[in-house]
Amino acid sequence: MAKTFAITNQKGGVGKTTTAVNLAASLSASGARVLLVDLDPQGNATMGSGVNKRELKKSIYHLLLGLETISSIKKYSQNGKFDILPSHRDLAGAEIELVDVVGREIRLKSALSEVAHEYDYMLIDCPPALNLLAVNALTAADAVMIPMQCEYYALEGVSDLVNTIKKIRGNLNPRLEIEGLLRTMFDPRSTLAQQVSEQLKNHFGNKVYDTVIPRNIRLAEAPSYGQPALMYDPSSKGAQAYMALAREVLNKH
Ligand code: ATP
Ligand code: MG
């Protein structure tokens, strides 16, 4: 049965999508069966996996509204060697269209439960918001993976997210855990980054991954070729860091 992780942080641009795509590719390269779920209307994880969102006739939008099945929207990322449920701009409308739908928070959970036996990991790339889409992800997930930059306001953002996780635990998903906090775009020369990193460890202890993702230009370039860093430049520091993260995740489970 797959472990399902929601990769989330309501703060934008912290490395959620980069983590989703590169961890998916690294887990797959390590022999795991992986499904990447793009739950962001921006469709960055879709494009970054080499699936052209502009050519899609169906996307996760149709799945959430119950118009299509998983097998009819699922694509294979040749570049990342994993399956993907692609996203499209349409998804932005799902938020409103689902408002009157019964069980609107459990749409994704119900859909994923049908294919959970086919995978070892299902990774959900969330939008930078705590909206209905994010609630669907947190309801479907076993645990939350939180990418964050070690900056001044980062801890405040994480504590808002932890409060949301507690609320979700209270009603929609009692088993929801924090899988881990991932330090992204890390610059070891920055004193502030080191201080925030220390505070994070004091507060969250072993929930903070040992693996740190450095700021690495290859990770930023790879999406424009529709490739995970592991394909674009496998020896780069970025690709290697995500391989290390995959090993850490695999050792934990
Ligand atoms: P959003 O909230 O908009 O969905 P996000 O949290 O998914 O953003 P990303 O899209 O992964 O964040 O990253 C934001 C930007 O930073 C992107 O341009 C990405 O290529 C770049 N980036 C992410 N991680 C790194 C890294 N470790 N080194 C260098 N650039 C990075
Ligand atoms: Mg993103």
Side-chain angles (χ1 to χ4, degrees), residues 9-20 40 42 44 125-129 147 149 184-186 213-223 238 242:
N9 189 331
Q10 72 279 15
K11 194 164 162 31
V14 296
K16 293 180 288 294
T17 302
T18 304
T19 298
D40 185 345
Q42 297 181 101
N44 295 342
D125 183 29
C126 293
Q149 276 181 274
T184 59
M185 295 179 238
F186 197 79
I213 309 298
R215 188 172 281 284
N216 176 250
I217 189 72
R218 294 294 190 228
L219 287 171
E221 289 168 352
Y242 278 106

Side-chain angles (χ1 to χ4, degrees), residues 17 160 204 212:
T17 302
D160 288 345
F204 290 97
V212 173

Side-chain angles (χ1 to χ4, degrees), residues 27 41 51 64 73 75 103 111 172 186-187 189 229 245:
L27 284 169
V51 173
L64 292 178
I73 68 153
K75 298 275 180 194
L172 291 160
F186 197 79
D187 177 2
R189 290 164 305 179
L245 178 66

Side-chain angles (χ1 to χ4, degrees), residues 1-62:
M1 220 40 163
K3 275 263 169 207
T4 306
F5 298 148
I7 300 176
T8 191
N9 189 331
Q10 72 279 15
K11 194 164 162 31
V14 296
K16 293 180 288 294
T17 302
T18 304
T19 298
V21 170
N22 287 288
L23 180 59
S26 299
L27 284 169
S28 171
S30 311
R33 297 167 303 165
V34 181
L35 177 69
L36 177 59
V37 181
D38 188 353
L39 203 59
D40 185 345
Q42 297 181 101
N44 295 342
T46 301
M47 296 296 277
S49 302
V51 173
N52 190 347
K53 64 179 178 185
R54 293 181 195 92
E55 287 169 6
L56 293 172
K57 295 209 174 55
K58 307 161 192 166
S59 73
I60 195 158
Y61 163 82
H62 300 90

